[in-house]
Amino acid sequence: MRAIAKFLLRNRGFIAFMLCMIVFRSAVADWNVVPTGSMQPTIRIGDRILVDKLAYDVRLPLTHVSLLHLADPQRGDIVVLDSHTARERLVKRVIGLPGDQVAMRGNVLFINGHAARYVTGSYGGIGDDLRDPAHYEIERYGVMNHAIRLSDYRPSPASSFGPVQVPAGRYLLLGDDRDNSMDSRYFGFFPRDEIVGRARHVVASLDPEHHYLPRTDRFAAPLD
């Protein structure tokens, strides 16, 4: 015990720093590495995204217990969640709010009986386009305005669904790469208390297809 006490005393500054960092990353802000393309073109494979953990709640550090409710996710928000059903951390976009009726027909989104509007977009630098050619569209519904990726030859079997009613306290989340995303179409509605924060910016980005060289144009890029 005496040796342990001496060790703690000698390293008390470092230990205090590490504890503060753990609390900060758990309850205030964190960064996540994105290893998959389910949110392309908005989030690229290899992006390091900043997660604002105070966007919706003040939580007890290292738990999902909300000490203070600040706001609720809004349509179009990019959220980070610890999904019990998927058994992993996910990054998806909020599409359906509690009480909404949502449907999709051939990748055309309908919310409360009204279709989203689409215009052609153009995006380069997506490595998956070499193996799976795709086209891009800007999806607009109310204040929601973001790009989606649609495969030319491999449409998702879940490109049509519903209509479904989003239950109270739950959200319908989709990936922006609509034909390559495991989201609410597969896992169902996500509970509010699984959403741990909102992603607002890219911190840094490394390109896994080019020896993990930095993509400096994506450093500090906002996420729409």
Side-chain angles (χ1 to χ4, degrees):
M1 290 298 294
R2 186 175 298 174
I4 294 175
K6 287 183 178 179
F7 173 83
L8 294 176
L9 184 62
R10 284 197 305 267
N11 296 278
R12 61 184 182 276
F14 175 75
I15 294 171
F17 171 78
M18 291 302 298
L19 289 174
C20 288
M21 284 298 298
I22 291 171
V23 170
F24 181 85
R25 292 189 64 176
S26 171
V28 180
D30 197 2
W31 61 275
N32 279 45
V33 178
V34 179
T36 69
S38 69
M39 282 296 293
Q40 294 183 125
T42 309
I43 301 176
R44 309 287 180 90
I45 299 173
D47 280 354
R48 275 68 173 161
I49 58 173
L50 179 65
V51 182
D52 179 4
K53 293 193 171 183
L54 293 177
Y56 307 121
D57 297 278
V58 176
R59 294 180 185 269
L60 184 67
L62 305 178
T63 76
H64 282 193
V65 176
S66 176
L67 300 176
L68 179 64
H69 174 266
L70 300 176
D72 285 316
Q74 298 300 304
R75 196 184 333 277
D77 287 359
I78 297 173
V79 297
V80 177
L81 64 149
D82 291 327
S83 171
H84 175 76
T85 304
R87 298 182 180 179
E88 62 178 327
R89 175 159 288 194
L90 302 176
V91 182
K92 303 295 176 185
R93 189 180 297 275
V94 177
I95 299 296
L97 305 177
D100 281 346
Q101 186 181 79
V102 183
M104 186 177 282
R105 296 290 179 265
N107 275 321
V108 175
L109 186 65
F110 291 82
I111 302 176
N112 297 323
H114 300 285
R117 295 178 291 115
Y118 296 86
V119 296
T120 301
S122 178
Y123 291 85
I126 307 295
D128 284 352
D129 287 350
L130 298 176
R131 298 177 292 272
D132 178 24
H135 61 281
Y136 297 86
E137 296 184 5
I138 308 300
E139 183 174 75
R140 295 172 178 168
Y141 183 93
V143 298
M144 187 171 69
N145 182 17
H146 61 271
I148 60 172
R149 181 178 184 270
L150 301 170
S151 175
D152 290 339
Y153 305 116
R154 300 178 186 176
S156 168
S159 60
S160 295
F161 69 85
V164 294
Q165 190 88 19
V166 183
R170 293 178 179 261
Y171 293 81
L172 190 148
L173 310 180
L174 298 178
D176 289 351
D177 193 344
R178 290 290 161 79
D179 292 318
N180 183 33
S181 175
M182 299 294 288
D183 45 40
S184 283
R185 294 172 292 180
Y186 299 91
F187 299 127
F189 305 109
F190 292 99
R192 167 69 173 80
D193 61 7
E194 290 185 350
I195 297 175
V196 299
R198 180 180 179 185
R200 297 179 181 271
H201 292 85
V202 176
V203 177
S205 184
L206 303 178
D207 190 345
E209 296 192 357
H210 293 87
H211 309 290
Y212 291 92
L213 290 174
R215 291 184 286 219
T216 55
D217 61 314
R218 295 197 56 75
F219 282 36
L223 295 176
D224 298 324

